[in-house]
Amino acid sequence: MKRVGVFICHCGTNISAAVDCEKVAENAKSFPGVAYSTDYKYMCAEPGQELIKKAIKEQKLDRIVVASCSPRMHEPTFRRCIESGGLNAYLLEMANIREHCSWVHPDDKERATIKATDLVKMAVAKVMQNEALVRSTIPITKRALVIGGGIAGIQAALDIANTGHIVDVVEKEPSIGGRMAQVDKTFPTLDCSACILTPKMVDVANHPNVNLITYSEIEKVEGYVGNFDVTIRKKARSVDLKACTGCGTCIQKCPTKVPSEFEMEMMDRKAIYTPFPQAIPNKPVIDRENCRYFKSGKCGVCQKVCPTNAVDFTQEDELVTERYGAIVVATGFDLFDESVYGEYGYGKYKDVITGLHFERLLNASGPTMGKIKRPSDGKIPQNVVFIKCVGSRDEAKGKAYCSKTCCMYTAKHATLVREKIKDSNAYVFYMDVRTPGKGYDEFYTRTTDQYGAKYIRGRVSKIYEKGDKLIVWGEDTLLGRPVEIEADMVVLATAMVAKADAAKLAQMVGFSYDQNHFYTEAHPKLAPVETHTAGVFLAGACQGPKDIPESVAQASAAAVKVCGLLSKEEMPTEPIISAVNEAICSGCGMCVPVCPYTAIDLKVIQERIHGKTVSRKVANVNSGLCQGCGACTVACRSAALNLKHFTNEQILAEVDALCL
Amino acid sequence: MERIELTAAWAKGQEVLAEVTKESGVRASKCYQCGKCSAGCPVAFAMDKTPREIMRLVQLGLMDEALQSHTIWLCASCDTCSTRCPREVDIARVMETLRIIAKRKGSVAEKKMDLFHDLFLKSVENNGRVHELGLILGFNIYGMQPLKDAHFGPSMLLKGKLSPLPHTIKDNGEVKKIFANVRKRGGKL
Amino acid sequence: MSITEMPQNWEPKILVFACNWCTYAGADLAGLSRLQYPPNIRILRVPCSGRVNPQFVIRAFQRGIDGVLVAGCHPGDCHYVSGNYFTRRRYLLMQRLLQYVGIDPERFQARWISGSEGPKFQQVVTQITEEIRAMGPNRKLRDAQ
Amino acid sequence: MKYAYYPGCSLSSTGVEYDISTKKVAKSLGIELWEIPEWNCCGASSAHLTDHLLALALPARNLAIAEEKGLDVAIPCAACYARCKATEVEVRNSKEMQETISAVIERQYTGKSQARALLDVFVNDLGLESINTLVNKPLKDLKVVSYYGCLLVRPPKLGFDDAEDPQSMDKLIEALGGTPVDWAFKTECCGAAHATTKSEVGFPMIEKILTAAKETGADCIATACPLCMSNLDMRQTQVGAKYGQNYSLPVFYFTELMGIALGINPQELGISKHFVDVSGIVKKLNEAAGRRDTA
Ligand SMILES: Cc1cc2nc3c(=O)[nH]c(=O)nc-3n(C[C@H](O)[C@H](O)[C@H](O)COP(=O)(O)OP(=O)(O)OC[C@H]3O[C@@H](n4cnc5c(N)ncnc54)[C@H](O)[C@@H]3O)c2cc1C
Ligand SMILES: Cc1cc2nc3c(=O)[nH]c(=O)nc-3n(C[C@H](O)[C@H](O)[C@H](O)COP(=O)(O)OP(=O)(O)OC[C@H]3O[C@@H](n4cnc5c(N)ncnc54)[C@H](O)[C@@H]3O)c2cc1C
Ligand code: SF4
Ligand code: SF4
Ligand code: SF4
Ligand code: SF4
Ligand code: SF4
Ligand code: SF4
Ligand code: SF4
Ligand code: SF4
């Protein structure tokens, strides 16, 4: 026999003013299963809790209903209370007779009392079906993985490592550093990007808790929070990192020149190369697609000149599998392919370039040694036109969103043109100037006031070459007149877009992305670094356009989340999850696509039927992934799935209790 | 400059704005006033308002001003603006619709152009095809500029480029019917 | 049953399935803000509006409930990513099913009410109570039993 | 290969040579053109300014006749093509419009018969390689800027070529043995719509295009539209006089250049009907061909 105890709270007069608590307690005595019912002034207070504990013992109660405030307020309190009274925490139900009753019906005590009675009746009916549930735990592997070694990945890795946890950083390129390494100076302070980035790169490389795994990619991810099994492909570098001293002799002697990706193809690199001088690791890699040895079997110069015998043509890709407790994804962004703007002639006119090209032109170790020169003829441009929102805020040809960084970096570029080129003009075509951020608008104001850049409100419609000039057609929308500029160079502030392989990576790790393939945070305001997948966190521009300060802030936030997770030995799991009744599951698989957390898969079980062993498919809920939403239970036509603590039977019992 | 009282203007423009929206299929609110249309418009130099300004007038419901502008008549229907608009606003279609409505309302800023189109269509209705010589002569006579482009005439005739007689199709009943049917459906031709 | 046979003092009884994260919290907020509404609704807490099996709704009508409201987070705001998306799809199916079994489909409603929309909660349940009251008691299935 | 052929009004007057050269070239390429009997004016520059339904109905009649024959329509004039294409697309995309139009023209038109630009047909259906193999008098050393005009490749969603930097005519010139010259005014509007009614507006537009073409050092302009032709050829001297320029820049229909390359006697193609003298170019081509013959 089940013995339910019912406890009606007055909440001082908060409840009792509108609900006749004694009467409700009295009514409850007649509900099936109720062995004891009482009311009290303050249930959550020490004496109230003692009252419950005492009743459990004296009345031999095996399940409890508390009718009081919202369970969102005190469910944990009363769960702890009955637990210390010797009952399983999940043998509690609450009836919300304050927020949902007394407070909203203060003037109709009779009907409020009827309603409170109904609510208690429902809770009693439900609790009769409650089962003891146990919170289990899963062990946590105390090692974190950071995917992507840009500024966001570097910062996250450093913060995690500094708390004493081990971090692996997997970077696709031969060096860490990301886009920030390509940028020359950074807004809003104009300090040199390398000067602030390089020390961080060195720190992360030298940190005893950090393993850099460069020139590598994620191949497979299995498992879930606490225990992700990740397979990493270490691409053949053709240089033995341990033997190589980074002397650079091989690079000097290599006869093969290839346009450098890092320098936006405005300069050459060799087939054996480091992407940039401050690269980390500062050891070369052979680009097998272009190396003569790999193309024709001839050459091998680098191997011959290497004093330490580090060049190894026979190296092969290596697959390693490692277990991690948490993952930070920090894979950054790409730039929009502006060649879709036929009217701007990108790709056709050499002196129409992107902002990133311009960064390299500004950089002292770039193709022009930091002198702003035109790619076509090396002349110093006098009139430089900047066009903002290229590919951003353009539904027709590009992306609908704002790329957030380009207003600022264009202001930076315009400032630098005026600073570096005597008598130059910087014209900026803009639609809006978006500079929210500390010191940002002041920076923009200096660009116009102090540096005299000319801002023209309007989008450019056409650029064409006339002699060695570029004619730019725009409208000054503030004047309402078409305008034309004879420019020497045009710089397009192209949109920040998701990495080409962003969706693939998200599918592999198992979290969601938006229509633009930026990664989706768990909540846009309150969980901006979490994903919907427990244990996977986001940092930097892979989640959406961001500048460096924001990327760093997000990285540190993600690191805290990771450390919070790794600081525990094991993790309790919520027992309110879905369970499969294998006996009646038909294996139809209807439930599988419904689960937002991909917690359900089909497994094969062996059964003995009439003395024969047969195997069949049944659904299998991964308790580490299930979050207990219950969507699957509705999808199952055989009613083989049920959600613990909110079972079909429990809910139907509540419905019946209310109606009958 | 005269101050516009926006609330009253907005209320007044609603009916025409609804017509423009319905007939052009363009929601003016989509335009974010970037000016790319005007920047590339080949006729902008001759217009009294840039195409973007026309869109702005429509957005604010200042329909009289839009309908009375020369711009809508000067637009060459080249589609440059619609092709490049980042918000996929079909401005050329808005211009077209405004012209049609201006004509309907009798507020035509470029009377001569309007006359030409009328003659053109009359020629089509009567002959099934356009008789270029007749059209040009007619236009210049009605338009009070009898000698305009006259110097092209003789050499055109010589080159066999202008026929003194209209080209007609044998049975023009079908084309006449098309005009009649369009009129029946409310077309003001 | 004709209107004249309507029991005296009849009050509609309405069952509200409220998702734990949005609508239940919205109802709590209505309480905290002391926003009054008719005492005809009874809230049944579910983790997500997507947990509501059409079976539950049918059962309630069978047992004589006068109206059912399923309420959850706004589309796109679901605590469980996509649960309310299923609710949306099932809603129309449910209404058709009810029509089939002879219940006025208007007795069944689905609404999106977030945790910060206390006033909206008040407004929605007030409105629904009045609508159901106007429809009179649901007898169809109970009588058929 | 068989197409319905819609010449349009201009090709029987100002653009006769376009009609003549089209027919000759199609014949030697083995393309059969079935001229739509009793075709009517598509309403080109005027109908769409007066009434949207009329603007769709006029071209629809011609398209409907072609549809009855089961043929797509090859259209040389860019303006006619644009109107016909707009009709085809609107009818195909809306059942309602299809019914309305069919009722207005009192013929059935479903949008199945497609409006095709003649250039598109030559370049994409017949193909550049086939054309190239038939060339026997290549346009050697002839530098040509291709002028597509504003209507041929717009709107981009309907076009058969890139709306900002179309290539088909350039590639065709190349296939004919000529040298296509890249420039930025391929699709700039020449203001043909205002040629008669407000020519003062058209002049600066024509000036821009002719100046840009001249600056590239090209020998001539190739065009695909009789309205562009009138503006660039017939009005060239007038515009030149106004801006103090002597362009002397011959303008050809691309079909004329094709005809010449295919070995058809230039006179038969109607090139003597041009206003700007083309004899210099013909002579140059003949000399080149002669050199080749004797070599
Ligand atoms: C022209 C320009 C100028 C700018 N100027 C400034 C400025 O002055 N100030 C400022 O604050 N911001 C500036 N920014 C913005 C700044 O570049 C970004 O905020 C910053 O780079 C974002 O860092 P991140 O680490 O998120 O991404 P990234 O820098 O893109 O780094 C991502 C890293 O992940 C790696 N990766 C990608 N995919 C994978 C994968 N599948 N597996 C493994 N590794 C992967 C990449 O190789 C890369 O190393 C500028 C941006 C541009 C385009
Ligand atoms: C009108 C308006 C609308 C907004 N709307 C949005 C929106 O829609 N979305 C959005 O994302 N953001 C919005 N914001 C911004 C949002 O309010 C802030 O981002 C957010 O409140 C910042 O949180 P905070 O904790 O940093 O600061 P606060 O919210 O200011 O909290 C600071 C706390 O510190 C306490 N405190 C201050 N000094 C001391 C002291 N010396 N000792 C102890 N305690 C102290 C204060 O009492 C306060 O409780 C809005 C802001 C405004 C003004
Ligand atoms: S349990 Fe809730 S209702 Fe009771 S006294 Fe505490 S706060 Fe008030
Ligand atoms: S591979 Fe050899 S030569 Fe090249 S940098 Fe390393 S040690 Fe020097
Ligand atoms: S083998 Fe390849 S990498 Fe080495 S020197 Fe030759 S080309 Fe360069
Ligand atoms: S940040 Fe500025 S330039 Fe960049 S997309 Fe946004 S508004 Fe345009
Ligand atoms: S309850 Fe929700 S999270 Fe759990 S398995 Fe079912 S659908 Fe997935
Ligand atoms: S649990 Fe239900 S839905 Fe899932 S496979 Fe089994 S029978 Fe099908
Ligand atoms: S281009 Fe489009 S969005 Fe921009 S002003 Fe013109 S109509 Fe508006
Ligand atoms: S269609 Fe009209 S408004 Fe648009 S660019 Fe052409 S001439 Fe200008």
Side-chain angles (χ1 to χ4, degrees):
Chain A
M1 266 301 279
K2 290 170 184 165
R3 293 177 63 82
V4 181
V6 176
F7 299 86
I8 315 288
C9 179
H10 293 222
C11 199
T13 57
N14 274 309
I15 296 173
S16 60
V19 170
D20 184 341
C21 295
E22 288 91 350
K23 189 161 174 205
V24 175
E26 197 51 39
N27 290 345
K29 287 186 180 149
S30 65
F31 300 157
V34 174
Y36 179 77
S37 175
T38 188
D39 57 293
Y40 184 71
K41 215 171 177 65
Y42 295 108
M43 273 305 165
C44 61
E46 200 54 37
Q49 295 198 35
E50 280 311 315
L51 181 94
I52 295 174
K53 282 189 239 175
K54 208 167 121 223
I56 291 173
K57 217 165 272 153
E58 289 176 359
Q59 304 290 328
K60 301 200 170 38
L61 302 176
D62 60 5
R63 49 204 68 219
I64 302 297
V65 167
V66 178
S68 58
C69 52
S70 172
R72 295 167 53 83
M73 171 119 181
H74 273 318
E75 195 171 50
T77 315
F78 293 116
R79 276 190 179 160
R80 272 194 305 272
C81 164
I82 70 167
E83 227 169 2
S84 71
L87 292 183
N88 178 282
Y90 291 87
L91 294 171
L92 168 83
E93 284 299 326
M94 289 182 71
N96 184 346
I97 60 168
R98 191 178 74 173
E99 283 85 344
H100 292 185
C101 192
S102 67
W103 277 351
V104 287
H105 313 307
D107 305 326
D108 192 345
K109 194 158 184 175
E110 188 193 333
R111 292 181 60 206
T113 305
I114 295 174
K115 179 173 178 178
T117 307
D118 275 352
L119 292 174
V120 173
K121 197 177 181 189
M122 288 164 76
V124 170
K126 186 181 181 199
V127 85
M128 286 288 283
Q129 312 257 6
N130 276 23
E131 278 174 33
L133 300 177
V134 277
R135 296 190 189 93
S136 61
T137 55
I138 43 174
I140 292 174
T141 303
K142 299 203 165 217
R143 190 185 190 97
L145 169 66
V146 174
I147 307 175
I151 183 61
I154 291 171
Q155 184 66 42
L158 278 173
D159 288 347
I160 296 169
N162 282 337
T163 61
H165 297 294
I166 306 289
V167 201
D168 290 358
V169 179
V170 171
E171 166 60 54
K172 186 153 76 172
E173 301 297 328
S175 168
I176 58 169
R179 294 285 178 202
M180 189 175 166
Q182 278 176 291
V183 171
D184 178 56
K185 289 191 171 56
T186 52
F187 63 75
T189 46
L190 290 188
D191 39 7
C192 134
S193 187
C195 312
I196 54 178
L197 175 67
T198 315
K200 273 205 192 290
M201 288 169 61
V202 173
D203 282 355
V204 82
N206 293 338
H207 203 293
N209 290 343
V210 180
N211 293 307
L212 289 186
I213 310 175
T214 50
Y215 209 49
S216 298
E217 282 176 55
I218 306 299
E219 189 91 355
K220 194 163 84 189
V221 179
E222 285 177 327
Y224 46 89
V225 56
N227 301 282
F228 293 101
D229 290 316
V230 181
T231 306
I232 299 161
R233 175 179 292 274
K234 296 182 163 177
K235 290 180 281 187
R237 202 173 178 111
S238 314
V239 170
D240 179 349
L241 281 183
K242 287 205 190 78
C244 171
T245 60
C247 70
T249 315
C250 53
I251 301 175
Q252 265 174 8
K253 299 283 189 232
C254 170
T256 308
K257 284 187 180 165
V258 184
S260 157
E261 298 84 359
F262 185 85
E263 299 294 351
M264 305 301 285
E265 312 207 331
M266 293 185 296
M267 219 173 147
D268 286 336
R269 60 160 169 85
K270 297 291 182 65
I272 185 166
Y273 72 106
T274 53
F276 54 100
Q278 306 86 342
I280 286 185
N282 207 334
K283 294 176 183 177
V285 52
I286 293 182
D287 163 9
R288 291 188 170 183
E289 260 167 40
N290 289 300
C291 159
R292 292 181 191 192
Y293 179 84
F294 284 97
K295 274 162 70 176
S296 64
K298 294 189 196 93
C299 188
V301 169
C302 51
Q303 194 173 44
K304 279 172 220 140
V305 300
C306 176
T308 63
N309 246 331
V311 176
D312 177 2
F313 295 130
T314 65
Q315 246 185 27
E316 280 176 21
D317 286 8
E318 192 189 334
L319 291 177
V320 291
T321 301
E322 191 69 59
R323 177 166 284 195
Y324 300 100
I327 299 177
V328 176
V329 184
T331 47
F333 67 100
D334 269 336
L335 284 184
F336 180 75
D337 173 15
E338 55 283 14
S339 63
V340 305
Y341 285 89
E343 62 268 44
Y344 293 171
Y346 180 82
K348 192 157 140 182
Y349 308 133
K350 278 193 168 153
D351 297 327
V352 178
I353 58 174
T354 72
L356 211 49
H357 287 87
F358 196 71
E359 294 284 346
R360 295 318 301 156
L361 293 182
L362 291 168
N363 193 273
S365 56
T368 52
M369 321 285 265
K371 281 232 155 56
I372 303 171
K373 291 179 182 169
R374 313 203 316 171
S376 62
D377 55 10
K379 273 195 209 146
I380 295 191
Q382 286 303 303
N383 294 322
V384 183
V385 167
F386 294 91
I387 305 179
K388 298 208 296 187
C389 307
V390 177
S392 310
R393 308 174 70 194
D394 182 346
E395 290 158 35
K397 289 185 174 170
K399 305 287 181 183
Y401 57 80
C402 161
S403 288
K404 206 173 186 183
T405 58
C406 15
C407 271
M408 279 302 287
Y409 76 60
T410 300
K412 169 179 81 176
H413 292 167
T415 298
L416 291 171
V417 164
R418 293 280 296 143
E419 194 178 83
K420 288 200 169 194
I421 308 173
K422 209 167 140 273
D423 301 328
S424 62
N425 287 304
Y427 297 94
V428 180
F429 281 95
Y430 72 101
M431 291 205 292
D432 295 285
V433 177
R434 298 186 168 172
T435 50
K438 196 166 162 178
Y440 284 17
D441 206 58
E442 294 88 327
F443 184 89
Y444 156 61
T445 311
R446 276 197 299 277
T447 309
T448 51
D449 285 5
Q450 204 169 315
Y451 290 93
K454 292 173 190 66
Y455 272 61
I456 302 161
R457 195 197 170 279
R459 238 178 207 273
V460 166
S461 176
K462 182 171 175 135
I463 302 171
Y464 65 95
E465 234 170 25
K466 188 173 181 185
D468 73 344
K469 299 281 186 195
L470 290 161
I471 309 299
V472 180
W473 284 355
E475 183 194 5
D476 185 321
T477 58
L478 301 179
L479 273 181
R481 299 265 294 271
V483 294
E484 178 177 301
I485 293 174
E486 269 196 12
D488 299 299
M489 183 151 112
V490 177
V491 185
L492 310 179
T494 42
M496 287 170 92
V497 298
K499 281 275 187 201
D501 62 353
K504 204 177 113 213
L505 183 74
Q507 285 156 6
M508 199 152 43
V509 182
F511 59 93
S512 47
Y513 49 89
D514 64 23
Q515 82 254 36
N516 296 310
H517 293 193
F518 284 120
Y519 297 151
T520 312
E521 65 282 9
H523 190 281
K525 277 146 278 176
L526 299 180
V529 302
E530 288 98 325
T531 64
H532 285 297
T533 304
V536 179
F537 305 97
L538 303 174
C542 59
Q543 181 253 352
K546 262 185 209 74
D547 59 15
I548 296 164
E550 263 190 292
S551 299
V552 170
Q554 208 190 9
S556 292
V560 170
K561 298 280 170 188
V562 168
C563 294
L565 196 65
L566 299 192
S567 65
K568 301 186 194 115
E569 292 306 320
E570 45 189 24
M571 219 175 35
T573 56
E574 181 56 61
I576 302 180
I577 57 168
S578 202
V580 185
N581 182 343
E582 291 182 357
I584 56 174
C585 171
S586 69
C588 69
M590 299 287 284
C591 51
V592 175
V594 169
C595 177
Y597 304 97
T598 53
I600 311 181
D601 56 6
L602 292 178
K603 67 172 182 191
V604 176
I605 55 165
Q606 315 284 336
E607 272 181 332
R608 285 191 74 76
I609 299 173
H610 308 308
K612 266 189 271 173
T613 305
V614 290
S615 54
R616 65 182 178 100
K617 275 188 184 166
V618 294
N620 175 44
V621 174
N622 183 323
S623 57
L625 294 177
C626 174
Q627 308 277 317
C629 72
C632 55
T633 60
V634 184
C636 178
R637 292 202 197 126
S638 331
L641 276 166
N642 220 340
L643 182 64
K644 290 181 189 164
H645 207 63
F646 289 95
T647 61
N648 294 334
E649 296 73 21
Q650 284 177 298
I651 296 175
L652 286 171
E654 281 184 275
V655 169
D656 288 352
L658 171 61
C659 297
L660 294 175
Chain B
M1 251 182 219
E2 199 192 336
R3 186 185 301 275
I4 308 169
E5 210 286 284
L6 280 178
T7 44
W10 173 251
K12 181 161 173 274
Q14 282 315 291
E15 203 180 311
V16 182
L17 176 55
E19 266 177 85
V20 173
T21 310
K22 180 156 171 283
E23 291 179 31
S24 67
V26 174
R27 270 190 302 119
S29 57
K30 280 215 80 174
C31 166
Y32 59 17
Q33 290 289 305
C34 70
K36 194 173 183 185
C37 46
S38 317
C41 173
V43 203
F45 70 92
M47 291 172 167
D48 55 342
K49 300 210 157 47
T50 67
R52 175 193 56 80
E53 287 174 321
I54 295 292
M55 289 306 301
R56 186 67 187 148
L57 291 170
V58 175
Q59 282 182 332
L60 292 178
L62 301 171
M63 303 310 291
D64 290 346
E65 215 170 309
L67 292 175
Q68 281 154 17
S69 73
H70 292 264
T71 293
I72 60 175
W73 295 95
L74 288 167
C75 161
S77 302
C78 73
D79 253 2
T80 308
C81 49
S82 304
T83 297
R84 293 186 186 151
C85 172
R87 300 279 290 170
E88 300 187 306
V89 175
D90 191 346
I91 310 128
R93 186 70 191 274
V94 173
M95 297 285 181
E96 181 183 311
T97 310
L98 288 171
R99 274 184 303 249
I100 294 173
I101 294 175
K103 198 170 153 65
R104 222 184 277 154
K105 297 208 169 295
S107 75
V108 173
E110 290 280 345
K111 296 260 173 349
K112 262 195 295 180
M113 291 184 141
D114 186 43
L115 171 69
F116 174 81
H117 299 309
D118 284 349
L119 291 171
F120 185 104
L121 290 180
K122 196 156 280 158
S123 174
V124 176
E125 185 170 8
N126 290 335
N127 309 313
R129 295 182 190 168
V130 177
H131 177 224
E132 289 192 339
L133 183 60
L135 178 62
I136 292 168
L137 285 177
F139 174 66
N140 289 346
I141 290 163
Y142 285 111
M144 310 290 277
Q145 41 182 3
L147 292 178
K148 183 165 172 290
D149 282 347
H151 56 289
F152 288 128
S155 55
M156 297 263 276
L157 280 167
L158 272 178
K159 286 176 191 287
K161 291 196 161 199
L162 276 185
S163 142
L165 296 173
H167 299 267
T168 40
I169 53 183
K170 268 182 247 131
D171 174 16
N172 192 35
E174 266 191 62
V175 177
K176 286 208 162 94
K177 251 194 224 154
I178 293 179
F179 277 80
N181 284 339
V182 170
R183 280 193 192 98
K184 245 188 257 162
R185 284 165 189 267
K188 297 242 178 335
L189 306 177
Chain C
M1 186 184 79
S2 71
I3 297 287
T4 49
E5 288 172 69
M6 188 130 72
Q8 288 239 307
N9 302 329
W10 170 77
E11 280 293 334
K13 204 185 253 187
I14 299 163
L15 172 61
V16 178
F17 289 99
C19 90
N20 184 41
W21 306 97
C22 291
T23 308
Y24 197 93
D28 278 0
L29 181 59
L32 279 163
S33 324
R34 309 297 200 273
L35 304 174
Q36 298 186 35
Y37 51 81
N40 300 63
I41 61 150
R42 308 286 183 263
I43 292 181
L44 194 161
R45 183 162 69 125
V46 284
C48 172
S49 59
R51 171 68 186 98
V52 179
N53 196 317
Q55 220 192 318
F56 306 157
V57 180
I58 298 281
R59 173 84 142 242
F61 282 118
Q62 269 177 346
R63 301 276 152 107
I65 204 83
D66 299 304
V68 175
L69 169 70
V70 174
C73 318
H74 287 263
D77 275 353
C78 178
H79 180 81
Y80 300 104
V81 191
S82 55
N84 53 8
Y85 170 71
F86 294 108
T87 314
R88 256 200 303 187
R89 276 200 296 192
R90 281 186 208 126
Y91 170 63
L92 295 169
L93 282 174
M94 266 308 292
Q95 286 207 325
R96 241 173 282 158
L97 183 64
L98 289 174
Q99 199 154 24
Y100 181 71
V101 300
I103 296 221
D104 189 341
E106 297 298 310
R107 290 187 184 275
F108 174 64
Q109 295 290 334
R111 292 295 152 83
W112 316 126
I113 303 168
S114 79
S116 63
E117 292 175 328
K120 181 169 177 192
F121 183 86
Q122 174 196 36
Q123 175 243 316
V124 165
V125 297
T126 307
Q127 186 199 341
I128 287 183
T129 306
E130 290 324 310
E131 283 170 11
I132 304 280
R133 190 191 300 284
M135 283 181 222
N138 158 40
R139 280 300 159 90
K140 180 81 187 173
L141 283 184
R142 189 161 45 180
D143 292 349
Q145 262 189 344
Chain D
M1 259 184 230
K2 186 172 175 180
Y3 297 86
Y5 176 56
Y6 177 73
C9 302
S10 300
L11 269 70
S12 51
S13 51
T14 47
V16 271
E17 63 273 34
Y18 197 8
D19 187 47
I20 297 170
S21 53
T22 296
K23 286 177 174 158
K24 288 232 146 81
V25 167
K27 194 159 169 221
S28 49
L29 293 173
I31 293 179
E32 194 180 332
L33 295 178
W34 175 76
E35 183 163 334
I36 295 172
E38 300 292 302
W39 53 263
N40 61 276
C41 170
C42 67
S45 45
S46 293
H48 69 287
L49 306 186
T50 308
D51 187 90
H52 189 61
L53 187 56
L54 183 69
L56 297 180
L58 288 172
R61 178 177 171 268
N62 300 318
L63 291 164
I65 298 173
E67 192 168 277
E68 283 157 23
K69 273 269 170 190
L71 294 172
D72 282 348
V73 191
I75 305 166
C77 169
C80 301
Y81 162 71
R83 300 318 314 173
C84 294
K85 193 79 199 166
T87 302
E88 172 210 315
V89 171
E90 209 160 315
V91 166
R92 202 177 38 237
N93 291 344
S94 151
K95 193 94 198 138
E96 195 190 332
M97 189 49 93
Q98 184 182 318
E99 277 158 17
T100 312
I101 291 291
S102 298
V104 169
I105 63 173
E106 301 186 10
R107 278 172 187 268
Q108 179 73 21
Y109 178 55
T110 66
K112 214 165 124 208
S113 172
Q114 289 188 37
R116 301 283 308 277
L118 185 70
L119 178 66
D120 177 23
V121 167
F122 284 166
V123 172
N124 296 317
D125 289 8
L126 187 62
L128 294 167
E129 270 169 44
S130 316
I131 294 173
N132 184 253
T133 53
L134 294 171
V135 168
N136 57 29
K137 231 172 114 189
L139 307 177
K140 210 161 171 297
D141 301 328
L142 189 67
K143 286 183 280 173
V144 186
V145 285
S146 298
Y147 178 64
Y148 297 75
C150 59
L151 294 172
L152 196 61
V153 288
R154 285 181 189 142
K157 267 186 259 167
L158 307 182
F160 59 92
D161 203 339
D162 187 279
E164 293 297 348
D165 189 12
Q167 295 297 330
S168 15
M169 213 189 305
D170 296 73
K171 290 207 185 106
L172 177 66
I173 300 294
E174 200 169 22
L176 299 176
T179 311
V181 180
D182 189 33
W183 65 321
F185 283 69
K186 287 178 178 180
T187 59
E188 278 302 319
C189 171
C190 68
H194 302 323
T196 319
T197 52
K198 226 175 165 69
S199 33
E200 71 277 14
V201 169
F203 282 3
M205 298 163 78
I206 300 171
E207 184 270 334
K208 267 209 172 82
I209 293 165
L210 289 172
T211 305
K214 196 78 192 164
E215 273 170 7
T216 64
D219 301 313
C220 65
I221 302 176
T223 172
C225 175
L227 307 180
C228 305
M229 185 68 164
S230 304
N231 261 350
L232 299 184
D233 179 54
M234 186 175 90
R235 293 186 190 276
Q236 194 177 104
T237 336
Q238 203 183 1
V239 171
K242 179 154 182 220
Y243 292 94
Q245 298 287 333
N246 175 16
Y247 302 108
S248 312
L249 196 57
V251 189
F252 289 95
Y253 287 110
F254 74 95
T255 45
E256 293 173 336
L257 292 174
M258 286 178 84
I260 294 173
L262 294 173
I264 303 170
N265 180 349
Q267 296 316 316
E268 283 178 32
L269 294 163
I271 57 169
S272 56
K273 296 181 189 294
H274 294 193
F275 284 78
V276 178
D277 186 23
V278 295
S279 55
I281 293 204
V282 174
K283 203 165 138 218
K284 181 174 157 181
L285 287 174
N286 279 336
E287 276 166 13
R291 269 202 311 279
R292 198 181 44 146
D293 290 346
T294 51

